Protein backbone atom coordinates (compact mmCIF):
# COMPACT_ATOMS: atom_id res chain seq x y z
CA UNK A 1 0.00 0.00 0.00
CA UNK A 2 1.33 3.43 -0.93
CA UNK A 3 2.40 5.84 1.78
CA UNK A 4 -0.11 8.45 0.59
CA UNK A 5 -2.91 5.91 0.95
CA UNK A 6 -1.77 4.95 4.44
CA UNK A 7 -1.73 8.62 5.43
CA UNK A 8 -5.29 9.12 4.20
CA UNK A 9 -6.51 6.01 6.01
CA UNK A 10 -4.72 7.11 9.18
CA UNK A 11 -6.37 10.50 9.02
CA UNK A 12 -9.92 9.64 8.01
CA UNK A 13 -10.28 6.41 9.96
CA UNK A 14 -7.68 6.95 12.66
CA UNK A 15 -9.12 10.18 14.06
CA UNK A 16 -12.63 8.81 14.72
CA UNK A 17 -11.15 5.51 15.97
CA UNK A 18 -8.97 7.35 18.50
CA UNK A 19 -11.94 9.48 19.54
CA UNK A 20 -14.22 6.50 20.11
CA UNK A 21 -11.53 4.56 21.97
CA UNK A 22 -10.85 7.58 24.16
CA UNK A 23 -14.52 7.65 25.15
CA UNK A 24 -14.37 3.91 25.83
CA UNK A 25 -11.32 4.39 28.00
CA UNK A 26 -13.00 7.10 30.06
CA UNK A 27 -15.90 4.77 30.84
CA UNK A 28 -13.97 1.57 31.39
CA UNK A 29 -10.54 2.55 32.64
CA UNK A 30 -10.59 3.99 36.16
CA UNK A 31 -7.48 6.08 36.65
CA UNK A 32 -6.90 5.17 40.28
CA UNK A 33 -7.19 1.45 39.58
CA UNK A 34 -4.92 1.71 36.56
CA UNK A 35 -2.32 3.49 38.70
CA UNK A 36 -2.29 0.64 41.24
CA UNK A 37 -2.13 -2.07 38.60
CA UNK A 38 0.73 -0.32 36.80
CA UNK A 39 2.98 -0.90 39.83
CA UNK A 40 3.25 -4.61 39.09
CA UNK A 41 6.50 -5.65 37.41
CA UNK A 42 6.68 -5.39 33.65
CA UNK A 43 7.17 -8.91 32.27
CA UNK A 44 6.20 -8.57 28.60
CA UNK A 45 6.82 -5.48 26.49
CA UNK A 46 5.45 -4.61 23.05
CA UNK A 47 6.86 -2.10 20.55
CA UNK A 48 4.59 -0.60 17.89
CA UNK A 49 6.51 0.77 14.91
CA UNK A 50 4.57 0.08 11.75
CA UNK A 51 6.56 1.95 9.11
CA UNK A 52 10.01 3.36 8.30
CA UNK A 53 12.73 0.74 8.56
CA UNK A 54 15.39 3.43 8.94
CA UNK A 55 13.78 4.66 12.17
CA UNK A 56 13.66 1.05 13.37
CA UNK A 57 17.46 1.01 13.21
CA UNK A 58 17.45 4.10 15.44
CA UNK A 59 15.25 2.16 17.88
CA UNK A 60 17.91 -0.54 18.37
CA UNK A 61 19.19 0.89 21.67
CA UNK A 62 15.62 1.11 23.00
CA UNK A 63 14.86 -2.48 21.99
CA UNK A 64 18.11 -3.68 23.53
CA UNK A 65 17.18 -1.90 26.77
CA UNK A 66 13.80 -3.64 26.74
CA UNK A 67 15.57 -6.99 26.33
CA UNK A 68 17.66 -6.17 29.40
CA UNK A 69 14.51 -5.35 31.35
CA UNK A 70 12.26 -8.31 30.52
CA UNK A 71 14.35 -10.80 28.55
CA UNK A 72 14.56 -11.39 24.82
CA UNK A 73 11.69 -13.89 24.72
CA UNK A 74 9.33 -11.35 26.29
CA UNK A 75 9.85 -8.52 23.79
CA UNK A 76 7.33 -8.23 20.94
CA UNK A 77 7.22 -5.96 17.90
CA UNK A 78 4.24 -4.96 15.74
CA UNK A 79 5.17 -3.84 12.22
CA UNK A 80 3.92 -3.75 8.65
CA UNK A 81 5.08 -6.88 6.84
CA UNK A 82 7.05 -4.91 4.25
CA UNK A 83 9.06 -3.28 7.03
CA UNK A 84 9.98 -6.29 9.19
CA UNK A 85 13.13 -7.08 7.21
CA UNK A 86 15.44 -4.87 9.24
CA UNK A 87 14.18 -6.39 12.49
CA UNK A 88 15.13 -9.84 11.21
CA UNK A 89 18.57 -8.54 10.24
CA UNK A 90 19.22 -6.91 13.62
CA UNK A 91 18.05 -10.12 15.34
CA UNK A 92 17.23 -8.35 18.60
CA UNK A 93 13.62 -9.59 18.78
CA UNK A 94 12.80 -13.30 18.32
CA UNK A 95 11.40 -13.97 14.86
CA UNK A 96 8.27 -15.53 16.30
CA UNK A 97 7.64 -12.39 18.38
CA UNK A 98 7.48 -10.10 15.33
CA UNK A 99 3.82 -9.58 14.45
CA UNK A 100 3.58 -8.44 10.83
CA UNK A 101 0.52 -6.82 9.24
CA UNK A 102 0.22 -7.25 5.44
CA UNK A 103 -0.22 -4.14 3.29
CA UNK A 104 -1.28 -5.60 -0.06
CA UNK A 105 -4.59 -3.74 0.08
CA UNK A 106 -7.29 -2.43 2.43
CA UNK A 107 -8.95 -5.81 2.87
CA UNK A 108 -5.72 -7.67 3.57
CA UNK A 109 -4.50 -4.91 5.88
CA UNK A 110 -7.78 -4.81 7.81
CA UNK A 111 -7.86 -8.58 8.22
CA UNK A 112 -4.19 -8.65 9.20
CA UNK A 113 -4.77 -5.90 11.76
CA UNK A 114 -7.65 -7.83 13.32
CA UNK A 115 -5.48 -10.96 13.57
CA UNK A 116 -2.64 -8.93 15.09
CA UNK A 117 -4.89 -7.43 17.77
CA UNK A 118 -6.32 -10.86 18.57
CA UNK A 119 -2.82 -12.27 19.00
CA UNK A 120 -1.77 -9.36 21.19
CA UNK A 121 -4.76 -9.96 23.44
CA UNK A 122 -3.53 -13.53 23.84
CA UNK A 123 0.05 -12.40 24.50
CA UNK A 124 -1.22 -9.90 27.09
CA UNK A 125 1.74 -7.49 27.09
CA UNK A 126 2.19 -5.60 30.34
CA UNK A 127 3.56 -2.54 28.57
CA UNK A 128 3.40 -1.16 25.03
CA UNK A 129 5.61 1.57 23.59
CA UNK A 130 4.27 3.38 20.54
CA UNK A 131 7.29 4.56 18.54
CA UNK A 132 5.29 6.25 15.78
CA UNK A 133 5.23 10.04 15.49
CA UNK A 134 1.57 10.92 16.10
CA UNK A 135 0.09 8.23 13.85
CA UNK A 136 -3.47 7.58 14.92
CA UNK A 137 -3.54 3.95 13.84
CA UNK A 138 -0.58 3.00 16.00
CA UNK A 139 -2.12 4.75 19.02
CA UNK A 140 -5.35 2.82 18.54
CA UNK A 141 -3.53 -0.50 18.22
CA UNK A 142 -1.42 0.26 21.28
CA UNK A 143 -4.61 0.74 23.28
CA UNK A 144 -6.30 -2.33 21.80
CA UNK A 145 -3.28 -4.49 22.67
CA UNK A 146 -4.60 -4.60 26.24
CA UNK A 147 -1.32 -3.39 27.73
CA UNK A 148 -1.94 -1.77 31.11
CA UNK A 149 1.06 0.56 30.65
CA UNK A 150 1.03 2.45 27.36
CA UNK A 151 3.76 4.94 26.46
CA UNK A 152 3.40 7.23 23.48
CA UNK A 153 3.45 10.78 22.20
CA UNK A 154 0.56 12.96 23.24
CA UNK A 155 -0.47 16.34 21.90
CA UNK A 156 -0.56 18.07 25.32
CA UNK A 157 -1.36 21.43 23.77
CA UNK A 158 1.34 21.12 21.12
CA UNK A 159 0.39 21.78 17.48
CA UNK A 160 0.45 18.04 16.82
CA UNK A 161 -2.13 15.81 15.12
CA UNK A 162 -4.97 14.55 17.31
CA UNK A 163 -4.58 10.94 18.44
CA UNK A 164 -6.95 10.79 21.38
CA UNK A 165 -6.08 10.17 25.01
CA UNK A 166 -5.11 6.52 24.90
CA UNK A 167 -1.74 6.48 26.65
CA UNK A 168 -1.25 5.96 30.37
CA UNK A 169 2.23 7.51 30.07
CA UNK A 170 1.89 10.57 27.87
CA UNK A 171 5.07 12.03 26.43
CA UNK A 172 5.53 15.36 24.68
CA UNK A 173 7.50 15.42 21.45
CA UNK A 174 10.91 17.04 21.83
CA UNK A 175 12.01 18.52 18.46
CA UNK A 176 15.55 19.03 19.78
CA UNK A 177 16.30 15.46 20.82
CA UNK A 178 17.78 12.79 18.59
CA UNK A 179 15.27 10.08 17.76
CA UNK A 180 17.51 7.36 19.20
CA UNK A 181 17.53 9.11 22.58
CA UNK A 182 13.78 9.76 22.47
CA UNK A 183 13.01 6.10 21.82
CA UNK A 184 15.29 4.99 24.66
CA UNK A 185 13.63 7.43 27.06
CA UNK A 186 10.19 6.03 26.21
CA UNK A 187 11.30 2.56 27.29
CA UNK A 188 12.53 3.90 30.61
CA UNK A 189 9.09 5.48 31.15
CA UNK A 190 7.38 2.11 31.51
CA UNK A 191 8.99 1.72 34.95
CA UNK A 192 7.48 4.97 36.25
CA UNK A 193 4.01 5.57 37.72
CA UNK A 194 1.92 7.56 35.21
CA UNK A 195 1.86 10.63 37.42
CA UNK A 196 5.65 10.68 37.61
CA UNK A 197 6.22 10.80 33.85
CA UNK A 198 7.54 14.26 32.93
CA UNK A 199 6.43 15.83 29.65
CA UNK A 200 9.90 15.26 28.22
CA UNK A 201 11.94 12.28 29.32
CA UNK A 202 15.60 11.79 30.02
CA UNK A 203 17.38 8.49 29.53
CA UNK A 204 20.95 7.37 29.84
CA UNK A 205 21.99 5.46 26.76
CA UNK A 206 24.58 2.71 27.14
CA UNK A 207 28.16 3.74 26.51
CA UNK A 208 28.31 1.13 23.78
CA UNK A 209 26.03 2.43 21.04
CA UNK A 210 27.28 -0.04 18.46
CA UNK A 211 24.78 -1.62 16.12
CA UNK A 212 24.73 -5.29 15.20
CA UNK A 213 26.95 -6.06 12.21
CA UNK A 214 25.38 -7.70 9.20
CA UNK A 215 27.34 -10.77 8.10
CA UNK A 216 26.15 -12.34 4.82
CA UNK A 217 26.59 -16.03 4.24
CA UNK A 218 29.41 -17.06 1.89
CA UNK A 219 26.94 -18.14 -0.78
CA UNK A 220 25.11 -14.81 -0.47
CA UNK A 221 28.34 -12.87 -0.99
CA UNK A 222 29.23 -15.03 -3.98
CA UNK A 223 25.78 -14.53 -5.51
CA UNK A 224 25.82 -10.73 -5.17
CA UNK A 225 29.44 -10.56 -6.28
CA UNK A 226 28.48 -12.49 -9.40
CA UNK A 227 25.57 -10.11 -10.06
CA UNK A 228 27.85 -7.07 -9.82
CA UNK A 229 30.48 -8.69 -12.04
CA UNK A 230 27.86 -9.42 -14.72
CA UNK A 231 26.44 -5.91 -14.62
CA UNK A 232 29.90 -4.29 -14.49
CA UNK A 233 31.26 -6.53 -17.23
CA UNK A 234 34.41 -7.28 -15.25
CA UNK A 235 35.59 -9.46 -12.39
CA UNK A 236 37.35 -6.48 -10.79
CA UNK A 237 34.77 -3.84 -9.88
CA UNK A 238 36.37 -2.06 -6.94
CA UNK A 239 36.47 0.61 -5.76
CA UNK A 240 32.69 0.49 -5.96
CA UNK A 241 30.56 3.59 -5.37
CA UNK A 242 26.80 3.31 -4.90
CA UNK A 243 24.40 6.11 -5.74
CA UNK A 244 20.93 5.85 -4.23
CA UNK A 245 19.34 8.60 -6.26
CA UNK A 246 15.69 8.33 -5.25
CA UNK A 247 13.62 8.55 -2.08
CA UNK A 248 10.35 6.80 -1.43
CA UNK A 249 7.06 8.63 -1.80
CA UNK A 250 7.15 9.18 1.95
CA UNK A 251 8.96 12.47 1.46
CA UNK A 252 9.81 13.49 -2.14
CA UNK A 253 11.33 16.76 -0.90
CA UNK A 254 14.35 14.75 0.25
CA UNK A 255 15.49 14.12 -3.32
CA UNK A 256 18.71 15.63 -4.59
CA UNK A 257 18.21 16.73 -8.23
CA UNK A 258 18.82 13.73 -10.55
CA UNK A 259 21.17 15.76 -12.74
CA UNK A 260 23.44 16.21 -9.71
CA UNK A 261 23.83 12.46 -9.44
CA UNK A 262 24.69 12.32 -13.14
CA UNK A 263 27.31 15.04 -12.71
CA UNK A 264 28.70 13.39 -9.56
CA UNK A 265 29.04 10.05 -11.32
CA UNK A 266 30.90 11.63 -14.23
CA UNK A 267 33.28 13.40 -11.85
CA UNK A 268 34.04 10.15 -10.02
CA UNK A 269 34.58 8.24 -13.25
CA UNK A 270 37.00 10.92 -14.38
CA UNK A 271 38.71 10.95 -10.99
CA UNK A 272 39.70 7.27 -11.18
CA UNK A 273 39.74 4.82 -14.11
CA UNK A 274 39.22 1.99 -11.60
CA UNK A 275 35.99 3.30 -10.06
CA UNK A 276 32.76 1.48 -10.84
CA UNK A 277 29.40 3.07 -10.05
CA UNK A 278 26.21 1.16 -9.29
CA UNK A 279 22.84 2.90 -9.03
CA UNK A 280 20.50 1.37 -6.47
CA UNK A 281 16.81 1.68 -5.79
CA UNK A 282 13.55 -0.13 -5.21
CA UNK A 283 11.79 -2.04 -8.02
CA UNK A 284 9.43 0.91 -8.53
CA UNK A 285 12.46 3.12 -9.18
CA UNK A 286 14.08 0.80 -11.74
CA UNK A 287 12.96 2.67 -14.86
CA UNK A 288 14.04 6.08 -13.57
CA UNK A 289 17.36 4.64 -12.39
CA UNK A 290 18.02 3.06 -15.78
CA UNK A 291 17.48 6.48 -17.32
CA UNK A 292 20.06 7.98 -14.98
CA UNK A 293 22.52 5.26 -15.91
CA UNK A 294 21.95 5.99 -19.59
CA UNK A 295 22.44 9.71 -18.96
CA UNK A 296 25.78 9.04 -17.27
CA UNK A 297 26.71 7.11 -20.39
CA UNK A 298 29.64 5.01 -19.19
CA UNK A 299 30.24 1.24 -19.32
CA UNK A 300 31.62 1.60 -15.81
CA UNK A 301 28.20 2.68 -14.53
CA UNK A 302 25.22 0.33 -14.25
CA UNK A 303 21.89 0.04 -12.47
CA UNK A 304 21.00 -2.54 -9.84
CA UNK A 305 17.63 -0.99 -8.97
CA UNK A 306 15.03 -3.70 -8.56
CA UNK A 307 17.59 -6.46 -9.14
CA UNK A 308 18.29 -7.28 -5.50
CA UNK A 309 16.30 -8.33 -2.49
CA UNK A 310 16.74 -6.28 0.67
CA UNK A 311 19.10 -8.88 2.09
CA UNK A 312 21.10 -8.85 -1.14
CA UNK A 313 21.20 -5.06 -0.90
CA UNK A 314 22.89 -5.29 2.50
CA UNK A 315 25.28 -7.86 1.04
CA UNK A 316 26.05 -5.37 -1.72
CA UNK A 317 26.83 -2.78 0.96
CA UNK A 318 29.44 -5.17 2.35
CA UNK A 319 31.16 -5.21 -1.06
CA UNK A 320 30.96 -1.48 -1.77
CA UNK A 321 33.23 1.29 -0.51
CA UNK A 322 30.86 4.23 -0.20
CA UNK A 323 27.28 5.20 -0.98
CA UNK A 324 25.78 8.62 -1.64
CA UNK A 325 22.10 8.87 -0.73
CA UNK A 326 19.51 11.36 0.30
CA UNK A 327 18.06 10.97 3.78
CA UNK A 328 16.22 7.63 3.63
CA UNK A 329 16.26 4.09 4.97
CA UNK A 330 19.42 2.95 3.13
CA UNK A 331 21.47 5.53 5.06
CA UNK A 332 20.57 3.69 8.26
CA UNK A 333 20.86 0.19 6.79
CA UNK A 334 24.43 1.07 5.81
CA UNK A 335 25.38 1.49 9.48
CA UNK A 336 25.01 -2.29 9.85
CA UNK A 337 27.75 -2.83 7.25
CA UNK A 338 31.41 -1.75 6.76
CA UNK A 339 30.49 0.67 3.96
CA UNK A 340 30.82 4.45 4.37
CA UNK A 341 27.72 6.49 3.54
CA UNK A 342 27.33 10.14 2.57
CA UNK A 343 23.82 11.30 3.49
CA UNK A 344 22.31 14.47 2.05
CA UNK A 345 19.87 16.19 4.41
CA UNK A 346 17.50 19.05 3.63
CA UNK A 347 13.85 19.12 4.71
CA UNK A 348 14.69 17.07 7.81
CA UNK A 349 17.49 17.60 10.27
CA UNK A 350 20.36 15.21 11.06
CA UNK A 351 20.17 16.44 14.65
CA UNK A 352 17.12 14.18 14.97
CA UNK A 353 17.56 11.56 12.27
CA UNK A 354 21.24 11.42 11.35
CA UNK A 355 22.90 8.01 11.60
CA UNK A 356 25.31 7.89 14.54
CA UNK A 357 28.23 6.04 13.06
CA UNK A 358 31.89 6.87 12.38
CA UNK A 359 31.24 5.83 8.80
CA UNK A 360 28.36 8.28 8.43
CA UNK A 361 29.18 11.54 6.62
CA UNK A 362 26.38 14.11 6.61
CA UNK A 363 25.88 17.09 4.32
CA UNK A 364 23.34 19.62 5.57
CA UNK A 365 22.99 23.29 4.66
CA UNK A 366 20.85 24.23 7.67
CA UNK A 367 18.87 26.85 5.80
CA UNK A 368 16.60 29.19 7.82
CA UNK A 369 13.58 27.25 6.52
CA UNK A 370 15.04 23.85 7.44
CA UNK A 371 13.73 21.56 8.71
CA UNK A 372 10.30 22.18 7.20
CA UNK A 373 8.87 18.74 7.96
CA UNK A 374 8.45 17.33 11.43
CA UNK A 375 6.19 15.25 13.64
CA UNK A 376 3.84 18.17 14.17
CA UNK A 377 2.90 18.48 10.49
CA UNK A 378 2.87 14.74 9.82
CA UNK A 379 6.07 15.30 7.83
CA UNK A 380 4.16 17.15 5.14
CA UNK A 381 5.38 20.50 3.87
CA UNK A 382 3.91 23.17 1.62
CA UNK A 383 7.36 23.65 0.07
CA UNK A 384 7.47 23.03 -3.69
CA UNK A 385 11.09 24.03 -4.26
CA UNK A 386 13.61 22.17 -2.10
CA UNK A 387 16.37 24.76 -2.12
CA UNK A 388 17.83 23.00 0.92
CA UNK A 389 18.78 20.07 -1.34
CA UNK A 390 19.59 22.12 -4.43
CA UNK A 391 22.22 24.11 -2.52
CA UNK A 392 24.25 20.94 -1.92
CA UNK A 393 26.83 21.07 -4.70
CA UNK A 394 28.34 18.28 -6.73
CA UNK A 395 31.80 19.58 -5.90
CA UNK A 396 31.43 19.24 -2.13
CA UNK A 397 29.93 15.74 -2.33
CA UNK A 398 32.63 14.70 -4.80
CA UNK A 399 35.32 15.95 -2.40
CA UNK A 400 33.87 13.88 0.47
CA UNK A 401 33.68 10.72 -1.64
CA UNK A 402 37.23 11.22 -2.86
CA UNK A 403 38.44 11.62 0.70
CA UNK A 404 36.67 8.42 1.77
CA UNK A 405 38.09 6.46 -1.15
CA UNK A 406 41.54 7.75 -0.32
CA UNK A 407 41.24 6.75 3.30
CA UNK A 408 39.95 3.31 2.47
CA UNK A 409 42.53 2.54 -0.23
CA UNK A 410 45.64 4.18 1.19
CA UNK A 411 44.98 4.09 4.93
CA UNK A 412 44.86 7.88 5.36
CA UNK A 413 43.33 11.12 4.07
CA UNK A 414 43.97 12.05 0.49
Amino acid sequence: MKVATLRRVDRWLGVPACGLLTVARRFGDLRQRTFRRSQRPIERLLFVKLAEQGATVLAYAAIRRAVEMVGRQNVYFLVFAENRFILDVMDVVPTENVIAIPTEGPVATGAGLARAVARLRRVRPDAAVDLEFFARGSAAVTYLSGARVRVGLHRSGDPAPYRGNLMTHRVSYDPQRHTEDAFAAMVEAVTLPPGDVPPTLQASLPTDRSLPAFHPQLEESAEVRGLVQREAGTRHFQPLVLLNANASDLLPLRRWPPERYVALARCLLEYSPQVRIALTGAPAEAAATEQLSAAIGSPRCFSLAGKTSLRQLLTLYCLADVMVTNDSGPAHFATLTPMDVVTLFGPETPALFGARSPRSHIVYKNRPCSPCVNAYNNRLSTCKNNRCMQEITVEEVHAIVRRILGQRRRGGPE
Side-chain angles (χ1 to χ4, degrees):
M1 191 180 299
K2 292 184 177 180
V3 173
T5 302
L6 289 173
R7 277 181 169 149
R8 286 194 294 269
V9 170
D10 188 67
R11 178 179 180 182
W12 296 111
L13 296 183
V15 169
C18 286
L20 291 173
L21 290 175
T22 296
V23 173
R25 181 194 175 192
R26 287 174 178 170
F27 278 99
D29 194 8
L30 298 176
R31 291 179 181 270
Q32 187 175 2
R33 182 182 176 189
T34 300
F35 176 84
R36 289 198 300 266
R37 290 171 59 203
S38 68
Q39 304 311 296
R40 298 205 310 267
I42 302 298
E43 297 180 352
R44 289 176 295 277
L45 193 148
L46 166 71
F47 286 101
V48 179
K49 186 74 180 79
L50 301 176
E52 293 189 88
Q53 295 183 76
T56 303
V57 176
L58 293 176
Y60 179 75
I63 303 171
R64 190 170 61 180
R65 174 61 180 134
V67 170
E68 293 174 355
M69 291 170 58
V70 302
R72 175 181 163 89
Q73 293 300 323
N74 294 315
V75 176
Y76 295 81
F77 207 105
L78 182 66
V79 65
F80 284 139
E82 63 189 30
N83 293 312
R84 74 165 291 167
F85 163 75
I86 203 65
L87 276 171
D88 294 335
V89 169
M90 293 193 300
D91 192 30
V92 66
V93 177
T95 302
E96 63 273 17
N97 287 9
V98 178
I99 304 170
I101 301 173
T103 56
E104 286 82 6
V107 175
T109 300
L113 178 60
R115 290 193 298 270
V117 170
R119 181 180 172 186
L120 289 174
R121 302 294 289 195
R122 294 193 298 271
V123 168
R124 298 175 65 86
D126 298 296
V129 180
D130 181 4
L131 298 179
E132 292 289 353
F133 297 106
F134 295 107
R136 292 87 169 185
S138 64
V141 173
T142 301
Y143 177 77
L144 292 173
S145 71
R148 56 186 169 81
V149 174
R150 301 180 297 276
V151 182
L153 295 178
H154 184 76
R155 182 160 62 175
S156 301
D158 296 327
Y162 171 80
R163 64 195 321 238
N165 184 11
L166 302 177
M167 303 300 166
T168 61
H169 295 55
R170 303 182 300 183
V171 181
S172 293
Y173 177 70
D174 186 347
Q176 300 184 39
R177 169 176 291 182
H178 195 280
T179 303
E180 181 185 29
D181 298 343
F183 287 164
M186 294 173 79
V187 173
E188 298 296 337
V190 304
T191 64
L192 301 175
D196 291 349
V197 177
T200 57
L201 298 169
Q202 299 295 325
S204 298
L205 286 175
T207 304
D208 179 15
R209 290 185 177 180
S210 60
L211 292 167
F214 172 73
H215 297 291
Q217 301 295 321
L218 290 177
E219 57 271 21
E220 291 177 315
S221 295
E223 182 180 18
V224 174
R225 183 179 294 275
L227 170 63
V228 176
Q229 288 173 340
R230 288 192 299 273
E231 296 293 331
T234 178
R235 292 179 57 84
H236 307 288
F237 54 80
Q238 291 172 315
L240 179 62
V241 177
L242 306 181
L243 301 182
N244 185 58
N246 297 299
S248 69
D249 63 341
L250 177 66
L251 192 55
L253 283 176
R254 294 185 296 193
R255 294 191 179 113
W256 200 35
E259 61 272 16
R260 304 285 178 89
Y261 280 104
V262 173
L264 175 63
R266 290 174 176 171
C267 288
L268 291 170
L269 292 169
E270 183 179 353
Y271 158 68
S272 171
Q274 284 78 42
V275 164
R276 297 296 189 281
I277 295 177
L279 304 178
T280 62
E285 300 166 340
T289 304
E290 289 287 355
Q291 292 177 359
L292 281 181
S293 179
I296 294 168
S298 170
R300 290 191 283 137
C301 177
F302 50 94
S303 173
L304 294 176
K307 299 177 183 178
T308 63
S309 66
L310 287 173
R311 188 170 178 89
Q312 288 174 324
L313 185 65
L314 284 187
T315 302
L316 174 66
Y317 290 176
C318 293
L319 299 176
D321 293 274
V322 57
M323 174 174 66
V324 178
T325 178
N326 24 282
D327 169 34
S328 55
H332 294 285
F333 304 160
T335 60
L336 308 179
T337 73
M339 180 182 68
D340 282 78
V341 58
V342 180
T343 309
L344 314 181
F345 271 85
E348 286 188 305
T349 168
L352 270 64
F353 298 103
R356 289 171 161 176
S357 164
R359 297 183 302 279
S360 174
H361 313 267
I362 291 173
V363 183
Y364 180 53
K365 290 302 182 181
N366 197 22
R367 283 179 54 84
C369 57
S370 295
C372 66
V373 297
N374 53 59
Y376 289 149
N377 62 15
N378 255 337
R379 302 178 75 186
L380 294 172
S381 173
T382 58
C383 176
K384 303 299 181 183
N385 184 20
N386 62 346
R387 294 283 300 276
C388 55
M389 296 299 293
Q390 297 170 38
E391 288 187 0
I392 298 175
T393 67
V394 172
E395 291 74 19
E396 62 186 311
V397 178
H398 178 234
I400 296 172
V401 175
R402 283 184 57 178
R403 184 178 70 248
I404 293 169
L405 292 176
Q407 292 172 342
R408 293 175 70 95
R409 292 307 178 200
R410 288 180 288 277
E414 184 174 86

